[in-house]
Amino acid sequence: MRILRRLLPPKRLVLVPVVLASTAAVWTLLPLWLIAAALVSPGVPGTWRPLRLLWLTVLHLTVETIVLVELLGLWIASGFGLFLRRPWFEATHYEIARTYLRLFHREARRVLHLEIDVQGPTPDAWPGTPLIVCCRHAGPADSFVLLYALMQWFAREPRLVLKDTIAWEPMVGTLLHRIPSRFVEPHPERGEDLLSQIADLARDLDHDDVFVIFPEGGNYTPQRRARAIEKLREIGRDDMAGRAEGMEHVLAPRPGGLCAALGAAPQTDVMFVAHTGLDHVYGVRDMWRELPMDKRITMRWWRVPHTEIPDTEEEQVDWLFTWWAVIDDWVDEHRPEDLAASG
């Protein structure tokens, strides 16, 4: 029963019909939506803001519905889930994710007027080697760009450590349950060893695998930053709390998951990733306020060879905080660039 609850959480079972009904309603009434958006647009700040948001909504709902049908077909073809973990089915699910990311990335860049500037090692600088990617957590939009870059530009198959709330989303939750991933719950059930699960996920990475973890455990907000510092003081880590207070743009990292991954994959290099540009976009309201964005998103990659990673957990914690301070300084120096203003 516990396994079934994880594969088909009640919230996702409720949301699937909502997505299907919303898609049908949007397409049935699309002419009316288009007319209404066109009439409202001249009186709304931004260039054709309602029409832009309408198009992204229609695209997302349509693609999500198509993917859900594909996932159902694959589940049936796999013997009603019996062979879903076979290599062919896993590769097919990765390809579905890659296609979705490629399509939505292309349209989001066009509709939102975004440019993406990637700094650091190019794909040909790290071919054929497994990697652990340790990324700043700055909203779902930036996470979307990260996964697009890893799968499209670097041809990687990510293994993901994510918050359990992601599993509620019908398409994403279903897809991620069929590829290697772990969902972090705020309050794990008794006897559940999350760090061991993370270590298992990081074990036996092959040439095109990448293990992705977000050590902050949540999107940055000033309130979460203050709570993270307070929690460090509560557990007696005043030294780390002091270092966290010196970082203005990031949360204090939670080192347990990364240390578990490093212990399971000691010969694997680590890639730190920072990005700016969509830090403040967390939902539809933020998207509405920003359209069209006319922004340049900047991503920075730093590769650390495994020979330069400390061996002991205490040293790894200190090493992680040092790198997080580097990321904080970089974010401070690379605030989002307004293309409309610069043009």
Side-chain angles (χ1 to χ4, degrees):
M1 180 63 67
R2 182 177 174 183
I3 295 176
L4 180 61
R5 190 169 67 252
R6 288 187 174 180
L7 290 174
L8 295 171
K11 291 185 179 181
R12 184 143 44 97
L13 283 175
V14 172
L15 288 173
V16 168
V18 171
V19 169
L20 299 179
S22 299
T23 305
V26 164
W27 276 104
T28 301
L29 301 175
L30 186 57
L32 296 179
W33 288 114
L34 287 171
I35 293 172
L39 290 174
V40 171
S41 289
V44 175
T47 306
W48 300 108
R49 181 181 295 182
L51 282 171
R52 292 173 186 270
L53 187 59
L54 175 61
W55 168 239
L56 290 180
T57 301
V58 171
L59 177 66
H60 172 71
L61 287 173
T62 303
V63 174
E64 177 148 5
T65 299
I66 292 172
V67 171
L68 284 171
V69 173
E70 291 177 333
L71 294 177
L72 175 61
L74 285 170
W75 181 74
I76 295 173
S78 67
F80 299 96
L82 184 62
F83 304 115
L84 270 179
R85 297 298 179 181
R86 296 283 179 89
W88 185 88
F89 284 102
E90 183 175 296
T92 301
H93 283 84
Y94 273 122
E95 187 56 37
I96 289 174
R98 186 176 290 109
T99 301
Y100 169 79
L101 288 169
R102 183 166 57 243
L103 174 63
F104 208 78
H105 174 267
R106 183 191 68 194
E107 287 303 297
R109 286 187 62 181
R110 184 179 65 85
V111 174
L112 303 182
H113 290 181
L114 296 176
E115 292 185 8
I116 301 178
D117 178 30
V118 180
Q119 305 173 355
T122 57
D124 57 0
W126 38 300
T129 56
L131 285 170
I132 294 174
V133 167
C134 192
C135 188
R136 175 197 181 211
H137 211 325
D142 276 331
S143 301
F144 173 91
V145 174
L146 170 68
L147 292 178
Y148 171 82
L150 290 173
M151 298 190 74
Q152 187 66 27
W153 297 338
F154 298 98
R156 295 289 173 143
E157 294 183 348
R159 302 183 185 185
L160 305 168
V161 179
L162 301 162
K163 292 182 66 174
D164 66 329
T165 50
I166 301 296
W168 301 347
E169 209 284 333
M171 179 193 70
V172 174
T174 303
L175 191 59
L176 291 180
H177 271 100
R178 299 185 185 182
I179 62 176
S181 58
R182 292 293 182 275
F183 296 96
V184 179
E185 301 177 16
H187 306 290
E189 296 185 27
R190 181 175 298 179
E192 185 172 27
D193 188 348
L194 179 61
L195 295 184
S196 293
Q197 294 181 31
I198 292 175
D200 289 341
L201 189 64
R203 198 167 283 119
D204 300 324
L205 297 171
D206 62 28
H207 69 282
D208 63 349
D209 283 333
V210 57
F211 176 92
V212 181
I213 190 167
F214 301 88
E216 292 164 308
N219 296 320
Y220 174 90
T221 66
Q223 295 77 16
R224 284 179 175 170
R225 175 179 175 271
R227 286 199 299 269
I229 294 171
E230 181 181 355
K231 186 173 182 179
L232 286 171
R233 296 199 184 282
E234 289 176 354
I235 62 175
R237 296 308 305 258
D238 291 341
D239 54 337
M240 295 302 173
R243 296 177 70 175
E245 286 178 332
M247 298 185 286
E248 295 292 332
H249 307 289
V250 296
L251 302 180
R254 303 176 184 180
L258 179 61
C259 291
L262 292 173
Q267 303 300 312
T268 304
D269 294 352
V270 171
M271 188 76 74
F272 286 98
V273 182
H275 36 63
T276 63
L278 297 176
D279 318 42
H280 52 295
V281 180
Y282 296 105
V284 175
R285 181 181 299 178
D286 301 315
M287 184 83 72
W288 169 263
R289 185 182 63 247
E290 293 293 325
L291 280 172
M293 291 182 177
D294 289 309
K295 293 285 191 295
R296 175 177 284 113
I297 303 170
T298 305
M299 301 185 70
R300 179 65 164 92
W301 310 73
W302 295 268
R303 182 171 182 171
V304 182
H306 66 272
T307 54
E308 299 180 10
I309 300 173
D311 295 324
T312 68
E313 183 171 330
E314 189 64 27
E315 290 174 329
Q316 289 171 356
V317 172
D318 179 74
W319 171 77
L320 175 60
F321 268 78
T322 299
W323 267 106
W324 232 242
V326 171
I327 289 174
D328 182 68
D329 290 340
W330 182 89
V331 172
D332 187 61
E333 296 170 2
H334 294 80
R335 304 312 299 156
E337 180 180 347
D338 191 325
L339 298 177
S342 63

